[in-house]
Amino acid sequence: MSRHASFDAVPYELQRTLYGSSQKKLETKLVALCAMLALPPFKAWPLQIACPDAQLHADVVGRAQRHGVPAHIRIERQNIGQVFEQAPLSCPYLGPPAPGEQCALCHRALEEERPWGACSACSAQWHLVCLATFTESRTESRTGSLVPATAHCTGCGQMLIWGDLVRAFAAAGE
C-alpha cells in the first residue's frame, strides 16, 4: 500500500493478502491497487489506470467493481507506449470565451484569465470555482474535499470529470 494510507484503513480480510507471503504476485498487487483506489485520498483523485492487454483490463475492471472504486477513476486498455504520453482530453477545449458569455451559476462574465469550463454536450459554461462550490454545496455530493472528483453539468446533467475540465482550461494557455 501507499505511505499515505493507514494500515488501520485496510480491511482485515485484505491485510493477510497484502502483507503476507504472496505480496509479490500480480493478483496481490491488483488487490492492493483496487483497495487503495477505494480509500481516501485516492478515491477523490481523477486518476486513469492504463492496462496494456485485454485480460489484465478485464481483471482490473472486475476487481475495481468489487472493491467499490469510484466510477470517475478510468480504467482503460492502452498500448504501453501511449501510457507515458499525456492522456488525451475526453472533450476538446472550446476556445476562449466570447465577449458577453456568462457563468451559468454566478452570471458574471467569463474571462480567459480566470479558470472556466464548458459542457461538451450542451455548452453550459461556468467558472471552475463556481462549479466546485455548487457541487460541494449539494447534499448528495458533499465530500469535504478541496475540489470534487466529478461534477454534473448544470444545464443537462452530464457527468463531468474534474481533471478533464482543468486540463481543458490549461490546454488553452499552450
Side-chain angles (χ1 to χ4, degrees), residues 10-165:
V10 179
Y12 179 75
E13 60 274 7
L14 289 178
Q15 289 179 10
R16 281 189 25 197
T17 303
L18 298 177
Y19 302 107
S21 60
S22 64
Q23 297 184 359
K24 296 185 180 193
K25 293 181 180 177
L26 176 62
E27 180 179 346
T28 303
K29 292 178 182 190
L30 294 178
V31 167
L33 172 67
C34 291
M36 186 172 70
L37 293 174
L39 296 173
F42 307 103
K43 71 179 185 178
W45 294 350
L47 301 173
Q48 178 177 338
I49 309 302
C51 301
D53 64 62
Q55 179 60 43
L56 180 62
H57 178 260
D59 195 12
V60 173
V61 167
R63 289 174 190 277
Q65 290 171 344
R66 287 192 300 275
H67 284 277
V69 173
H72 70 270
I73 295 179
R74 293 191 197 133
I75 301 170
E76 298 180 354
R77 187 178 181 306
Q78 278 188 317
N79 179 316
I80 196 70
Q82 295 173 342
V83 170
F84 299 103
E85 295 176 10
Q86 184 177 354
L89 295 174
S90 62
C91 59
Y93 175 67
L94 299 177
E101 287 185 314
Q102 296 181 338
C103 173
L105 294 166
C106 74
H107 305 290
R108 292 191 181 124
L110 294 173
E111 301 157 358
E112 193 168 6
E113 305 82 40
R114 188 171 176 203
W116 68 282
C119 177
S120 61
C122 73
S123 299
Q125 301 170 2
W126 336 262
H127 295 111
L128 294 183
V129 171
C130 294
L131 185 60
T133 303
F134 172 78
T135 299
E136 192 59 26
S137 71
R138 296 175 58 204
T139 308
E140 68 274 9
S141 303
R142 193 164 291 156
T143 64
S145 59
L146 183 60
V147 294
T150 61
H152 287 88
C153 174
T154 57
C156 68
Q158 176 177 320
M159 185 173 88
L160 307 163
I161 307 292
W162 196 258
D164 288 348
L165 290 171

